[in-house]
Amino acid sequence: VSAVEPGAFDALVAGVLDGDRRALARALTVVEDDEAGLRTVVAALHAHTGRARVIALTGAPGVGKSTLASALTATLRARGDTVAVVAVDPSSPVTGGALLGDRIRMQGHHDDPGVFIRSMAARGRLGGMAAATPHAVAVLDAAGFDVVLVETVGVGQSEVEVAATAETTVVVLAPGAGDGVQAAKAGILEVADVLVVNQADRDGAAALEVVLGGAFDSVLTPASWRPPIVPTVAVRDEGVDALLGACDAHLEHLRAGGGHVERRKRRAEHAIREIAMVGIRRALGGDPVGAMGSLPRRVADRELDPFAAADLLLTNIAAPAAD
Ligand SMILES: Nc1nc2c(ncn2[C@@H]2O[C@H](COP(=O)(O)OP(=O)(O)O)[C@@H](O)[C@H]2O)c(=O)[nH]1
Ligand SMILES: [Mg+2]
């Protein structure tokens, strides 16, 4: 762990709070790449977060998440909201979709100070993008954006968990590649607050809507939120107003029942757990012998059972003992 001089990030933090775009871009690079800086920046910005509304768009590669994010950005701007978009999508070039930044540039948002776009590479030193994304969201929140849109590929458990920390999680499906059966297998339907059937101009879209409609009947109580199913044609901006309306209705529902506080707690819980997991993984992986000490021998010698040894190991990680 490299030492960070006190004050080394003060100007960066001040720049973010001022809405300076270069400072913002650099702060997001710190989130991706600079472990010591990440801690400093997150600590300094934390008190300034909690204002932005976070909407996640998740789904299989190629369903149209970036196209929708771009269309939603335009719709949100039209009603006066400032928008930051963070896309964690290494697959776009593979599926033939343009990178998000290119799409939004195409739509003419590139010189709009009310829009900020960041594509994040799927690396991240601290346990991958699933760990880094909430910090990126926090930086954008602190910078004062009204809405933070998060695009993630909903294929792995960790990506799905990240999406579920948004106020509103929009699961995007399309006929064919990202269909409902696959989504159900990946476990992303469970986290959906709003379901989008994008590419509604293509064959199979109506059938997919029917399948999805049936999927929730068995599990919902009358009092719970029923995820609306919104058909969209993102490439033609069709259904995008309805999608935003569904997101607004969901936020209202959360607020009415205190659910937005729960979401924030869930996001905090996720962040704490990811940070702690990094520490544990490092303690175990970086220097296994040091952290384990004599525990393996004592278990092998039947002096300790493995559960008791694991308890001791966690204690050692929290407060390293000589042995
Ligand atoms: N026919 C049709 N194509 C779409 C629609 N929305 C997006 N696409 C196309 O689907 C491809 C993937 O879109 P993209 O937004 O990059 O998907 P992502 O991987 O989920 O971000 C691109 O070629 C888009 O132009 C739609 O509503 N209808
Ligand atoms: Mg994309």
Side-chain angles (χ1 to χ4, degrees):
V1 179
S2 63
V4 180
E5 285 170 37
F9 292 95
D10 286 357
L12 189 58
V13 166
V16 169
L17 293 175
D18 259 12
D20 176 72
R21 299 173 77 90
R22 279 179 50 202
L24 193 49
R26 273 186 42 230
L28 291 170
T29 302
V30 166
V31 166
E32 278 187 293
D33 275 349
D34 180 344
E35 182 178 351
L38 168 66
R39 184 178 188 132
T40 308
V41 167
V42 168
L45 291 178
H46 184 69
H48 302 275
T49 60
R51 217 183 54 84
R53 168 181 184 186
V54 183
I55 300 175
L57 295 169
T58 191
V63 292
K65 299 178 298 297
S66 294
T67 315
L68 270 175
S70 175
L72 272 174
T73 298
T75 307
L76 285 161
R77 285 302 288 141
R79 72 181 195 187
D81 289 334
T82 57
V83 186
V85 189
V86 48
V88 187
D89 186 4
S91 68
S92 277
V94 179
T95 58
L99 284 169
L100 179 73
D102 297 337
R103 282 197 186 286
I104 295 197
R105 270 186 287 280
M106 283 187 310
Q107 291 218 340
H109 290 300
H110 59 287
D111 51 7
D112 178 353
V115 174
F116 185 90
I117 304 138
R118 177 67 170 233
S119 285
M120 294 181 61
R123 43 184 175 144
R125 297 242 172 116
L126 301 175
M129 275 303 111
T133 306
H135 301 309
V137 170
V139 169
L140 295 162
D141 182 352
F145 289 97
D146 296 317
V147 180
V148 179
L149 293 178
V150 182
E151 175 188 342
T152 67
V153 181
V155 288
Q157 184 60 35
S158 57
E159 285 77 8
V160 171
E161 275 175 27
V162 168
T165 67
E167 264 82 44
T168 301
T169 303
V170 178
V171 171
V172 185
L173 302 148
D179 73 17
V181 177
Q182 278 189 324
K185 274 194 207 144
I188 63 176
L189 290 185
E190 282 121 81
V191 301
D193 300 309
V194 175
L195 281 165
V196 166
V197 174
N198 188 43
Q199 309 196 6
D201 53 323
R202 290 184 43 215
D203 284 349
L208 177 54
E209 272 189 63
V210 171
V211 169
L212 292 172
F216 288 95
D217 284 336
S218 53
V219 292
L220 290 178
T221 64
S224 61
W225 170 259
R226 183 190 183 85
I229 302 168
V230 184
T232 59
V233 184
V235 281
R236 298 202 299 251
D237 274 343
E238 289 172 24
V240 178
D241 285 335
L243 170 56
L244 192 53
C247 293
D248 289 343
H250 177 254
L251 186 61
E252 278 311 306
H253 166 83
L254 280 185
R255 285 191 174 136
H260 61 304
V261 179
E262 276 314 304
R263 291 294 170 114
R264 274 162 197 219
K265 269 198 222 151
R266 198 198 283 179
R267 193 166 352 165
E269 184 189 314
H270 180 269
I272 296 167
R273 192 177 341 107
E274 287 292 328
I275 291 166
M277 286 303 293
V278 168
I280 292 170
R281 250 184 255 120
R282 173 165 306 137
L284 294 180
D287 180 18
V289 179
M292 295 253 185
S294 62
L295 294 174
R297 181 191 55 72
R298 291 163 73 190
V299 172
D301 287 351
R302 305 301 185 271
E303 201 184 299
L304 284 174
D305 70 75
F307 284 87
D311 287 343
L312 286 171
L313 178 60
L314 290 174
T315 311
N316 283 355
I317 289 169
D323 184 40

